[in-house]
Amino acid sequence: MEEQKLSFVGKSFERKDGLIKAEGRAMYAADREFARMLYAAAVRNPRPRIKILGISDEKAKKVPGYVTLVTYKDIKGQNAWPVLDLDYPFLPEKIARFAGETVALVVAETQRAAKKAASLVEIEYEELPNIQDPLEALKPDAPEIGGTTDMKNVYAHFTIQKGDVDKAFEEAAYKVEGTFKTNYQVHGYLETQGSIAIPETDGGMTIHSTTQCPYYVVDGVAAALGITYNKVKVIQTVTGGGFGGKEEVPALVAAHAAICAAKVGRPVKLIYSRKEDFQCMSKRHPGWAHIEYSADKEGHLTGCRVKYVLDAGAYSTITAIVLFRGTVHSTGPYKIPNIDVKTFGAATSKVPCGAFRGFGQPQINFAQESLIDELAAKIGMDPVEFRLKNLLNPGEMTATGQKLTSSCGLSELVEAVRKKSGWDKKVNLHEKKGHIAKGIGISTCYYGVGLGAKGRFLDRAGAMVNIYKDGSVGVSVGNAEMGQGALTVFAQIASETLNAPMELVKTEEVDSSKVPDSGPTVASRGTLMGGNAIIEAAKPLRERLFKVALDMLIDKGGTSGKMIAHDGVFEMDGITVSFTDVAKEGWNRRLKMCEEGWYVAPHVSFRLDNGQGDAYVVYSYSADIAEVSVDTQTGVTKVDKIWAAYDVGRIVNPMLATGQAQGGILQGMSWSLFENLQYKNGIMVNPNFTDYVCATTKDKPEYDITFIEKLYDEGPYQAKGMGEVPLIGVAPAVANAIKNACGVRIDSVPLLPEKVWRAIKQKNAAKEAK
Amino acid sequence: MKNEEIIHADEDGFFTIALNVNGELGHMIVSRNETLVEALRHYGWKGTKKGCDTGDCGSCTVLFNNKPVLGCMMPAVAAHGGNITTIEGLGTVRNPHPIQQAFVEAGAVQCGFCIPGMILSTKALLDKNPEPSEADIRKALDGNLCRCTGYVTQVQAVRIAAKKVKAMKKQQEKLAAKELAAEKRKAARKTAKKAAKKNK
Ligand code: FES
Ligand code: FES
């Protein structure tokens, strides 16, 4: 009866929230004010690991505007933050496990008074033994400092076993091995964490929070206050960046604000300073990996052994899910028949690490893709040729024995960047101008979209679509806008399904009381899950409206019965009606104009004992080629250009997708070259943007981005997920390019000038010795 | 503003300063070590953001006597007697400034937290240098950290903005010229009428 080409999906609509933000009118958490609002500030643990003997506010009391001290005694609910495990107390009673941990809070009339008073609160303590190095933590004689599994100081461990690895290595024609390390990465979202808690008359609490996961905030606040979920309402404020950093920890910040607000009976605002944000909010886990690959005479990969350790910090939070992702992807996007992978999330006495764009993959991808280049070199093969020979193609099996059935364009991606970058010519060029050496390097990656087997209990999402009397449309979702463009992409998906003009569709920021728990907005699952939920909600509305439109067109003289719906109009035999008219007529007929949708991700069949089965429902893919200039006298590396190709399914909004890609590449480059968080004796040394360096405009490389859209039928308009792949492959591509430029392999991130410089010096010395 | 207006401190160490924010002349009561960004935000100019407190991120950038300054590095008292433009002072809700439009058009806005600062840095740049090169742009925006974008869209945004601002200026000049001409004509008509009366 009807035909519809895509009118809204696949087009570069401007962001819905663009102008509001450009005019400075967007209301972030810190911008919101409420009558009689008080301010909270945290009292932080000054040492790595302490036994708390007492907390005194004697001096703090004298600060004008001081209201009260809040400690664990004020918690009316459970003093254990519900994440995956329950090891993280909202406020510690006896032991604080890392420097910077919130030990108590102070409430005061002004922000300034709260900060001042907090600095005057005295903690009496005894120092306890602590561990800084995750490998130390895994040793049998290490003191016990944490852990949530049967192994001491371990929050999670996984394994993948396939084939006969020992035999593979025995029979191998070529073998390589290497140990690689990566450092922390700080999210550096420009808006720091913050929450406002407003007590309601029924004993409930309304929270305004900057977050990617409003439903985690509901969990945290309900638990801390000991109240039922229907009394907690979380409203997501305009969120100034997330990148995973606003996944789990906003629940902690919000719970702290809520505990304070419940005690004083007035709204309480808690906004983090940048320094505090560095010291106690989540980070990308530092990674350590030892990898071995084996190959046969023709250069086919035959075996892979991996030992991978993440430095998880003082509490478990979501380390298990992060490590799971790292585990599944640890051998790289290759077909390898024999595999032995063992991974561990180790406790240390440092800041607890959590979600960060890439989620445990960038660390291992750096290690594994660096080593693949070494193997190719050993065999005497071009890195691109070697990859093409071994990459996963549709119909083939991943490390976990998952058969890639649909939507896999990895080889095509490699061919695309190879051609565009002029790889074949450049790779043997080793161009040198004075002391500047140019080089080129490649990396590939695959990325399981969504939460996968380890987080499958969370993999569902809801939406509500409401068509108003005037034909405007409200879309409520449970997945959050944090800068990536979700509000716009969701509106496009709703527009497409309803044939409603974009300007009539508004997506709301998340309000937890409107849409059921939709899980977190992480793991590149926003578009896939939220989008599908919207389609579920909009489908019945679409049926109704399209019927009405057909009637109206026939009434107006249409005879053929062939209706075309496009760009917000319905057409038959040259006669048209607009979406607005159809919607109004729907209301006249008293049709149901509001629907809810619910989408559940397909089941994944993964088994934890041997690590075999389907780990994720679908994968996105990337290939990156980096071109660098290395100053061989100083070791300074400059990334000149990145060619990247992605298969992320259908691109819903090319402008937004390109923006995400560029941002991801830059963040990946910044991590691989500059970002270097340091601890000394258990204390963070550089918790600020002065000494923790992020890339700025002057470091910007050139980008060349290609999307190869392998459509995924389960996805909303065949989209997969986009947020993370752009970051993952950058570091190994850069490291491989440095090797190509000046012959040195740097085995740890960041690829600092001193490391490059030292390696070059060593190489020259070795050459001279010969 | 006139210099004679004196800042005075009360016994609690609060100062009353006078300044012009976005064309609104007014007073602010600020404490000795309060920064300009804190004072502005306290008085409702929430468009100015605070991303670091250490002068590293640029999100607190405002224009002080038409020059970009970091609001977190400037004591509020030092703003006494000055003219300040924040992001709210650039366009109006109904009629955004061309730089604001350019940032949206170029896709340079993601989470938006860095954007007010970026836009004010751009304004300062274009005031000085209406046709900046890529190097000029990169230099002017180097103090504005953005964690979402890859910075290309912002460089593009400044280019588009430069064109738009130029077009706007031309338009304004045209309008001004038209008005001038209209006034002249009016005056001429008046004198002609007067002369005609006299002649009667
Ligand atoms: S807040 Fe002023 S530069 Fe960051
Ligand atoms: S748009 Fe998010 S920091 Fe620039």
Side-chain angles (χ1 to χ4, degrees):
Chain A
M1 168 186 87
E2 78 235 12
E3 281 170 49
Q4 195 182 5
K5 275 198 305 174
L6 294 183
S7 304
F8 303 98
V9 164
K11 298 209 171 125
S12 289
F13 284 94
E14 267 174 20
R15 296 183 67 97
K16 287 259 174 193
D17 51 355
L19 200 55
I20 300 168
K21 287 171 170 174
E23 288 177 344
R25 291 189 288 124
M27 294 291 272
Y28 300 85
D31 304 334
R32 303 191 182 199
E33 307 276 355
F34 296 89
R36 289 181 36 82
M37 189 169 78
L38 296 172
Y39 297 81
V43 179
R44 302 200 173 278
N45 174 15
R47 301 293 306 156
R49 197 157 172 273
I50 59 167
K51 183 164 169 205
I52 302 165
L53 303 173
I55 301 173
S56 156
D57 66 345
E58 269 323 300
K59 287 188 186 146
K61 269 186 186 150
K62 304 206 174 96
V63 174
Y66 176 80
V67 177
T68 188
L69 179 74
V70 175
T71 67
Y72 72 91
K73 289 184 197 141
D74 297 301
I75 296 172
K76 291 287 177 257
Q78 70 182 46
N79 188 13
W81 170 25
V83 200
L84 293 174
D85 286 300
L86 290 169
D87 56 328
Y88 204 153
F90 287 112
L91 293 168
E93 185 177 337
K94 293 200 186 83
I95 294 176
R97 294 202 201 164
F98 69 98
E101 180 174 352
T102 308
V103 170
L105 295 135
V106 160
V107 182
E109 294 286 345
T110 65
Q111 173 121 19
R112 196 174 268 264
K115 288 251 142 104
K116 179 92 209 259
S119 72
L120 293 173
V121 170
E122 286 167 320
I123 309 172
E124 196 191 332
Y125 61 86
E126 212 171 76
E127 293 225 28
L128 295 173
N130 64 76
I131 302 178
Q132 297 300 312
D133 180 348
L135 297 183
E136 288 295 318
L138 295 179
K139 287 187 180 154
D141 56 344
E144 182 157 357
I145 56 157
T148 49
T149 61
D150 46 350
M151 290 172 72
K152 186 170 67 180
N153 297 337
V154 170
Y155 297 126
H157 54 87
F158 298 105
T159 181
I160 300 176
Q161 301 294 329
K162 185 160 120 175
D164 187 340
V165 181
D166 292 339
K167 196 163 155 241
F169 274 85
E170 252 165 51
E171 293 171 355
Y174 301 98
K175 286 182 262 190
V176 283
E177 64 180 301
T179 305
F180 297 87
K181 277 163 81 173
T182 56
N183 199 0
Y184 286 100
Q185 185 171 22
V186 177
H187 300 85
Y189 34 66
L190 262 247
E191 180 209 24
T192 56
Q193 307 272 352
S195 259
I196 304 155
I198 304 154
E200 300 296 344
T201 43
D202 64 350
M205 194 66 74
T206 297
I207 304 282
H208 292 249
S209 164
T210 171
T211 176
Q212 333 174 193
C213 301
Y215 302 94
Y216 285 10
V217 177
V218 177
D219 292 337
V221 171
L225 300 184
I227 59 177
T228 49
Y229 275 53
N230 58 0
K231 288 190 174 171
V232 180
K233 176 162 155 171
V234 175
I235 293 165
Q236 186 213 356
T237 57
V238 177
T239 296
F243 320 117
K246 289 176 183 163
E247 173 169 359
E248 67 280 9
V249 279
L252 189 64
V253 179
H256 286 159
I259 296 165
C260 294
K263 182 174 185 187
V264 296
R266 285 167 64 178
V268 171
K269 190 185 223 178
L270 174 59
I271 304 289
Y272 271 41
S273 72
R274 180 59 61 184
K275 185 174 167 197
E276 299 180 280
D277 204 295
F278 263 82
Q279 288 173 330
C280 92
M281 294 288 93
S282 72
K283 306 282 170 286
R284 182 187 306 291
H285 295 72
W288 176 95
H290 182 81
I291 309 190
E292 299 168 62
Y293 280 115
S294 66
D296 65 15
K297 284 203 306 294
E298 286 88 43
H300 295 107
L301 283 166
T302 57
C304 180
R305 282 198 194 103
V306 177
K307 187 178 173 196
Y308 178 32
V309 178
L310 287 179
D311 179 351
Y315 296 104
S316 64
T317 68
I318 59 164
T319 289
I321 302 185
V322 175
L323 184 69
F324 176 76
R325 176 173 288 286
T327 307
V328 167
H329 299 86
S330 63
T331 57
Y334 306 106
K335 34 188 179 224
I336 310 175
N338 305 292
I339 285 173
D340 171 13
V341 176
K342 292 191 181 72
T343 64
F344 305 88
T348 56
S349 310
K350 294 180 290 185
V351 64
C353 294
F356 195 141
R357 203 179 206 170
F359 232 71
Q361 268 191 257
Q363 297 96 321
I364 194 73
N365 188 252
F366 166 72
Q368 156 276 301
E369 282 298 277
S370 296
L371 194 62
I372 283 287
D373 257 37
E374 291 301 307
L375 179 57
K378 204 163 185 179
I379 302 173
M381 276 178 84
D382 176 271
V384 165
E385 286 300 339
F386 180 80
R387 282 181 173 80
L388 285 172
K389 191 166 210 157
N390 287 286
L391 281 176
L392 290 165
N393 285 308
E396 288 168 348
M397 299 277 205
T398 68
T400 70
Q402 177 166 2
K403 192 168 170 191
L404 298 177
T405 44
S406 63
S407 185
C408 164
L410 197 45
S411 299
E412 263 176 74
L413 300 181
V414 171
E415 291 291 7
V417 286
R418 169 196 213 164
K419 208 162 138 215
K420 281 194 141 181
S421 65
W423 171 275
D424 291 348
K425 225 169 65 207
K426 285 181 183 165
V427 68
N428 293 316
L429 216 52
H430 307 293
E431 191 187 327
K432 222 172 154 190
K433 275 196 199 115
H435 44 87
I436 304 292
K438 280 206 150 230
I440 190 162
I442 185 167
S443 77
T444 50
C445 107
Y446 70 145
Y447 180 92
V449 178
L451 298 173
K454 189 64 191 150
R456 60 186 150 209
F457 62 98
L458 289 170
D459 236 352
R460 47 1 185 201
M464 187 175 82
V465 177
N466 187 3
I467 304 173
Y468 291 87
K469 274 193 309 202
D470 63 348
S472 62
V473 180
V475 178
S476 303
V477 281
N479 294 105
E481 167 75 58
M482 51 190 148
Q484 84 279 39
L487 294 180
T488 313
V489 165
F490 287 153
Q492 283 177 266
I493 290 173
S495 280
E496 193 64 68
T497 315
L498 297 172
N499 191 34
M502 265 295 270
E503 60 276 12
L504 288 181
V505 181
K506 180 182 169 205
T507 319
E508 312 266 0
E509 257 126 17
V510 182
D511 173 342
S512 69
S513 63
K514 269 198 183 167
V515 181
D517 191 333
S518 300
T521 307
V522 298
S524 308
R525 73 191 281 277
T527 302
L528 176 61
M529 300 299 295
N532 271 335
I534 290 170
I535 293 176
E536 283 303 310
K539 255 201 254 159
L541 296 171
R542 173 189 166 98
E543 261 172 45
R544 264 164 241 158
L545 287 175
F546 275 48
K547 232 187 247 145
V548 172
L550 193 67
D551 289 352
M552 288 172 80
L553 287 168
I554 291 172
D555 274 356
K556 284 178 95 176
T559 51
S560 68
K562 270 200 193 120
M563 182 174 84
I564 301 169
H566 66 91
D567 301 289
V569 290
F570 299 84
E571 207 178 315
M572 189 192 291
D573 308 331
I575 303 165
T576 62
V577 284
S578 71
F579 175 83
T580 316
D581 293 338
V582 175
K584 282 182 182 159
E585 178 57 22
W587 271 93
N588 283 342
R589 297 186 187 183
R590 294 186 296 168
L591 297 178
K592 186 176 179 212
M593 299 295 267
C594 176
E595 288 284 351
E596 272 182 306
W598 187 246
Y599 178 75
V600 179
H603 184 69
V604 280
S605 63
F606 194 80
R607 278 178 43 192
L608 283 174
D609 54 343
N610 62 359
Q612 292 297 297
D614 293 359
Y616 292 90
V617 288
V618 68
Y619 294 83
S620 285
Y621 302 89
S622 77
D624 292 273
I625 285 182
E627 190 169 34
V628 303
S629 301
V630 183
D631 185 328
T632 52
Q633 280 182 351
T634 60
V636 172
T637 303
K638 163 107 184 62
V639 176
D640 299 319
K641 186 161 182 174
I642 301 260
W643 292 265
Y646 307 111
D647 162 18
V648 292
R650 165 112 52 210
I651 301 294
V652 179
N653 184 319
M655 177 165 86
L656 291 177
T658 308
Q660 275 275 295
Q662 291 164 343
I665 292 173
L666 189 89
Q667 209 168 43
M669 186 197 87
S670 187
W671 177 58
S672 50
L673 289 181
F674 312 124
E675 299 182 28
N676 199 15
L677 192 67
Q678 291 292 309
Y679 266 93
K680 201 171 171 193
N681 301 326
I683 307 287
M684 199 182 280
V685 180
N686 51 345
N688 53 63
F689 284 144
T690 316
D691 304 310
Y692 181 88
V693 179
C694 301
T696 66
T697 325
K698 74 171 194 306
D699 308 305
K700 166 186 93 67
E702 251 183 82
Y703 308 90
D704 182 310
I705 290 161
T706 310
F707 291 108
I708 295 181
E709 303 181 54
K710 294 283 169 195
L711 303 183
Y712 169 51
D713 287 333
E714 265 280 322
Y717 296 97
Q718 294 143 314
K720 293 195 277 193
M722 164 80 221
E724 293 163 88
V725 273
L727 182 142
I728 298 170
V730 178
V734 173
N736 288 341
I738 292 176
K739 173 82 191 264
N740 182 263
C742 49
V744 298
R745 168 64 56 196
I746 311 300
D747 56 11
S748 67
V749 159
L751 307 156
L752 294 174
E754 49 264 41
K755 294 182 192 167
V756 177
W757 177 80
R758 206 169 295 133
I760 292 175
K761 220 170 113 184
Q762 265 166 14
K763 191 190 86 178
N764 291 343
K767 225 195 255 164
E768 265 168 40
K770 270 185 200 165
Chain B
M1 294 201 45
K2 280 184 247 145
N3 279 334
E4 307 94 73
E5 283 169 279
I6 306 262
I7 340 175
H8 46 267
D10 61 19
E11 57 273 27
D12 293 330
F14 282 96
F15 295 83
T16 305
I17 60 171
L19 70 174
N20 185 326
V21 183
N22 299 328
E24 287 177 25
L25 197 61
H27 291 91
M28 286 185 185
I29 300 170
V30 299
S31 71
R32 179 187 306 281
N33 43 15
E34 193 164 343
T35 61
L36 179 58
V37 60
E38 283 170 328
L40 285 170
R41 288 181 55 83
H42 183 77
Y43 280 88
W45 302 106
K46 305 263 188 192
T48 310
K49 302 296 170 208
K50 207 168 82 168
C52 72
D53 268 338
T54 47
D56 294 302
C57 75
S59 40
C60 62
T61 306
V62 295
L63 302 183
F64 178 67
N65 296 335
N66 298 323
K67 288 209 182 70
V69 294
L70 294 175
C72 71
M73 291 280 103
M74 181 162 170
V77 284
H80 173 65
N83 281 304
I84 287 174
T85 308
T86 71
I87 190 71
E88 292 96 335
L90 272 198
T92 62
V93 174
R94 297 241 164 109
N95 194 9
H97 191 277
I99 303 178
Q100 289 166 322
Q101 281 168 338
F103 268 70
V104 179
E105 245 177 74
V109 180
Q110 287 193 26
C111 84
F113 207 78
C114 67
I115 296 300
M118 286 259 182
I119 287 178
L120 288 165
S121 293
T122 306
K123 170 88 168 56
L125 169 70
L126 295 183
D127 282 349
K128 241 186 13 214
N129 177 359
E131 280 168 49
S133 68
E134 158 128 15
D136 296 335
I137 298 173
R138 285 202 194 199
K139 204 165 144 223
L141 296 186
D142 193 41
N144 293 86
L145 201 60
C146 173
R147 197 58 163 164
C148 299
T149 71
Y151 294 114
V152 243
T153 45
Q154 279 138 357
V155 173
Q156 274 159 13
V158 178
R159 285 221 188 88
I160 298 175
K163 277 194 203 122
K164 280 188 190 268
V165 169
K166 229 173 141 191
M168 177 184 77
K169 285 212 175 117
K170 248 197 197 144
Q171 191 71 25
Q172 280 169 350
E173 273 161 27
K174 242 195 211 160
L175 262 172
K178 239 192 202 163
E179 266 167 37
L180 202 72
E183 241 155 62
K184 266 190 192 155
R185 246 179 279 133
K186 223 176 168 183
R189 240 180 276 139
K190 248 190 196 163
T191 35
K193 255 189 199 165
K194 263 189 200 161
K197 246 186 198 167
K198 250 189 196 166
N199 282 353
K200 266 186 195 171

